[in-house]
């Protein structure tokens, strides 16, 4: 990897980084569901272990996180795991680790994810600080991913170097959404209240225990990460936890002498102890230091406007069916998509994709997804194809049948008294 500036430091590699090299055929022994050959252990935590594995059919490397159902139940983390699955399903971004599918047995849940061959970013920084240009490159990729999450109502809440991986092209991948929150969890006062995160990366407003803005605490953590990439050490550190929290609360830190003026200014705004005046994502994107060499991540329309394999796997190992309905209309495509957006907004849902005559809607913590595509049939007629997935909703609770379809029924083209719909 280019531009790592080596200094005297301990360079103990993590299990994930050490095992991130290509494995030989003999390393894969356990066969999972006849679909994956499981190999080396990459890392482990209190509730999960992550293994390097290989898709039997494509021979592509994947990472499989195994979670014990018993530990989840005993720890009361069932809701957290379900939320993590729901969140990862909806995230499709070049700098976020992708969830391929979820499998389950009576005792374990298996997250089959994208394999990041480069290992943890933490392991690279522990060998020496990065140059300013390389720090900027990874920070740009991080902000791109975080902005994408926030636009979809997802707040990571545990951004740190250990949760940033590198792929085979040395590009950044955000992982571990186990502590993430969604906008539905925001209380009537407009804030989140769950105390979580890693001590060295925690924002000062979390320490106050008065509620916090999920977007603002993620931005604080991004500031800590940027500081470490450039400096090689944490801005707030102390062997005594309470002493470290006092430093964080005061927000007093010093940039190393090699830090440029532009980077110092940005770090000061990122690590502003007042969340109301702390820099926003939009302001970060307009910052001169950040803008240098910045390349916009191209939107992946194929991902935004289609369901992969026409179905997704749910947390119990089953299939969530994607239903398709079509109707013919004489209305302009713009009016049809506008009506869908109006209904979605009235129900507190998000527009997560829009491209001319196509729109994608998500809601209910990712349990409802609707994609509508409109194509010209004749000079006067268009055909509207609606794909939708509703998890855990019976006919009487179907958002499509109860909310969307009644509002669109007036657009159905009628011929000889018949509604043209299938």
């Amino acid at each position: 990897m280019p531009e790592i500036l080596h200094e005297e430091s301990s360079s103990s590699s993590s299990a994930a980084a050490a095992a991130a090299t290509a494995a030989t055929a003999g390393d894969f022994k356990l066969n999972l569901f006849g679909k994956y050959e499981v190999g080396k252990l990459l890392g482990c935590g209190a509730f999960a272990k992550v293994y390097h594995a290989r898709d039997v059919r494509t021979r592509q490397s994947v990472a499989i996180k195994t979670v014990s159902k018993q530990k989840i139940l005993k720890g009361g983390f069932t809701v957290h795991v379900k939320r993590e699955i729901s969140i990862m399903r909806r995230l499709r971004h070049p700098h976020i680790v992708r969830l391929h599918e979820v499998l389950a047995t009576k005792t374990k849940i298996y997250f089959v994810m994208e394999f990041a061959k480069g290992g943890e970013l933490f392991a690279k920084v522990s060998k020496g600080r990065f140059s300013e240009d390389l720090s900027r490159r990874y920070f740009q990729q991080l902000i791109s991913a975080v902005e994408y999450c926030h636009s979809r109502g997802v707040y990571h809440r545990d951004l740190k170097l250990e949760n940033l991986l590198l792929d085979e092209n040395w590009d950044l991948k955000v992982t571990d959404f186990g502590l993430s929150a969604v906008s539905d969890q925001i209380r009537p006062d407009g804030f989140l209240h769950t105390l979580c995160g890693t001590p060295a990366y925690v924002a000062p407003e979390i320490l106050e225990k008065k509620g916090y803005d999920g977007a603002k605490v993620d931005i604080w953590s991004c500031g800590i990460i940027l500081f470490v990439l450039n400096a090689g050490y944490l801005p707030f550190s102390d062997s005594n936890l309470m002493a470290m929290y006092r430093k964080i609360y005061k927000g007093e830190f010093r940039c190393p002498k090699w830090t440029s003026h532009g980077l110092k200014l940005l770090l000061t705004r990122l690590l502003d102890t007042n969340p109301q005046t702390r820099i926003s994502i939009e302001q970060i994107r307009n910052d001169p230091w950040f803008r240098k060499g910045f390349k916009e991540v191209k939107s992946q329309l194929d991902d935004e406007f289609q369901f992969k394999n026409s179905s997704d796997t749910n947390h119990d190992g089953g299939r969530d069916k994607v239903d398709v309905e079509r109707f013919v209309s004489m209305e302009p495509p713009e009016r049809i998509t506008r009506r869908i957006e109006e209904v979605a907004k009235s129900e507190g849902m998000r527009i997560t994709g829009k491209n001319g005559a196509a729109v994608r809607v998500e809601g209910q913590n990712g349990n409802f997804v609707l994609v509508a595509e409109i194509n010209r049939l004749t000079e006067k007629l268009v055909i509207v194809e609606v794909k939708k997935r509703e998890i855990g909703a019976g006919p009487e609770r179907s958002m499509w049948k109860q909310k969307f379809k009644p509002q669109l029924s007036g657009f159905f083209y009628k011929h000889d008294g018949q509604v043209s719909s299938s």
Side-chain angles (χ1 to χ4, degrees):
M1 185 172 73
E3 301 184 277
I4 293 181
L5 306 182
H6 292 275
E7 296 180 338
E8 290 298 321
S9 64
S10 61
S11 58
S12 57
S13 299
S14 68
T21 55
T24 62
D27 291 324
F28 297 99
K29 297 176 182 178
L30 178 65
N31 191 292
L32 185 63
F33 294 102
K35 299 180 70 174
Y36 300 100
E37 297 169 335
V38 182
K40 291 181 178 179
L41 178 70
L42 300 179
C44 58
F47 296 97
K49 293 181 179 180
V50 181
Y51 294 89
H52 181 198
R54 186 167 59 191
D55 188 308
V56 172
R57 184 177 60 84
T58 65
R59 315 309 291 170
Q60 179 184 4
S61 283
V62 295
I64 296 182
K65 181 167 80 170
T66 67
V67 183
S68 166
K69 285 185 176 181
Q70 186 179 22
K71 288 184 178 180
I72 292 171
L73 290 170
K74 281 186 176 180
F77 293 108
T78 302
V79 173
H80 292 78
V81 173
K82 288 184 177 181
R83 186 185 301 131
E84 182 180 5
I85 293 169
S86 175
I87 286 171
M88 291 194 71
R89 274 178 172 168
R90 77 172 81 165
L91 301 179
R92 294 286 184 269
H93 189 274
H95 299 304
I96 296 175
V97 168
R98 189 159 187 167
L99 177 67
H100 295 311
E101 66 175 329
V102 180
L103 303 169
T105 63
K106 290 182 178 180
T107 58
K108 295 188 186 306
I109 299 171
Y110 301 92
F111 292 66
V112 183
M113 302 179 295
E114 177 182 2
F115 177 63
K117 188 177 179 180
E120 289 179 4
L121 191 59
F122 175 80
K124 307 299 183 287
V125 179
S126 67
K127 296 177 182 177
R129 67 180 179 88
F130 289 1
S131 69
E132 191 163 308
D133 284 342
L134 188 58
S135 298
R136 177 176 17 240
R137 174 173 173 251
Y138 285 130
F139 184 70
Q140 288 169 342
Q141 293 180 355
L142 174 61
I143 291 299
S144 177
V146 172
E147 180 183 33
Y148 173 87
C149 290
H150 291 179
S151 72
R152 280 151 179 78
V154 175
Y155 310 102
H156 192 285
R157 299 199 300 184
D158 195 24
L159 291 168
K160 56 184 177 181
L161 285 166
E162 292 89 337
N163 286 338
L164 303 180
L165 307 179
L166 299 175
D167 65 13
E168 66 274 11
N169 298 315
W170 300 108
D171 285 326
L172 182 141
K173 298 280 185 177
V174 179
T175 189
D176 198 345
F177 287 82
L179 293 179
S180 295
V182 292
S183 53
D184 292 0
Q185 294 173 252
I186 296 173
R187 292 187 188 177
D189 63 1
F191 295 113
L192 295 165
H193 287 264
T194 304
L195 302 179
C196 60
T198 300
Y201 293 82
V202 74
E205 60 265 32
I206 292 180
L207 301 177
E208 290 184 332
K209 301 180 181 179
K210 295 179 181 179
Y212 56 89
D213 182 326
K216 291 293 187 178
V217 300
D218 277 353
I219 289 171
W220 172 277
S221 299
C222 288
I224 300 289
I225 290 167
L226 177 59
F227 185 97
V228 177
L229 292 178
N230 173 69
Y233 55 86
L234 290 161
F236 310 106
S237 181
D238 198 287
S239 57
N240 182 286
L241 187 62
M242 296 310 298
M244 183 175 70
Y245 282 159
R246 282 193 291 271
K247 291 179 181 179
I248 291 171
Y249 193 78
K250 291 179 180 178
E252 297 173 355
F253 66 93
R254 283 189 178 184
C255 293
K257 59 183 180 181
W258 55 79
T259 309
S260 70
H261 178 67
L263 178 52
K264 282 182 182 178
L265 289 177
L266 179 57
L267 284 168
T268 301
R269 299 188 69 191
L270 288 163
L271 300 178
D272 180 351
T273 56
N274 183 349
Q276 294 183 340
T277 56
R278 188 176 304 151
I279 193 170
S280 66
I281 292 284
E282 184 179 356
Q283 291 169 330
I284 292 172
R285 287 172 58 87
N286 292 323
D287 180 86
W289 185 88
F290 179 88
R291 294 294 308 171
K292 184 178 179 182
F294 178 62
K295 296 179 181 178
E296 291 282 357
V297 176
K298 294 181 180 179
S299 60
Q300 299 172 313
L301 294 181
D302 286 344
D303 288 337
E304 294 289 345
F305 296 106
Q306 66 175 293
F307 292 93
K308 295 300 178 183
N309 302 322
S310 298
S311 64
D312 287 336
T313 307
N314 67 24
H315 59 268
D316 291 323
R319 292 284 178 180
D320 298 322
K321 185 181 178 183
V322 174
D323 293 315
V324 181
E325 287 194 35
R326 299 176 183 86
F327 64 86
V328 176
S329 178
M330 293 184 68
E331 298 293 333
E334 298 79 16
R335 189 177 178 192
I336 298 171
T337 57
R338 187 165 59 248
R339 178 63 59 85
I340 292 171
E341 290 178 47
E342 288 170 357
V343 177
K345 289 177 181 176
S346 70
E347 295 299 322
M349 297 184 179
R350 294 176 304 282
I351 312 302
T352 57
K354 191 175 179 182
N355 179 31
V359 63
R360 179 183 175 108
V361 172
E362 293 187 27
Q364 299 179 332
N365 290 336
N367 289 333
F368 177 82
V369 181
L370 179 148
V371 175
E373 293 184 83
I374 306 168
N375 293 289
R376 180 63 59 183
L377 195 61
T378 68
E379 188 177 338
K380 294 184 178 181
L381 299 175
V382 297
I383 184 166
V384 183
E385 181 179 76
V386 179
K387 297 178 183 178
K388 63 227 181 272
R389 184 189 69 221
E390 298 190 65
I391 302 173
E396 71 285 351
R397 296 175 58 198
S398 168
M399 288 299 298
W400 164 249
K401 291 182 178 179
Q402 299 297 323
K403 301 295 182 180
F404 286 87
K405 194 170 184 177
Q407 292 294 321
L408 293 170
S409 61
F411 293 162
F412 293 177
Y413 173 67
K414 299 180 181 180
H415 182 66
D416 293 334
Q418 297 295 318
V419 176
S420 181
S421 176
S422 61

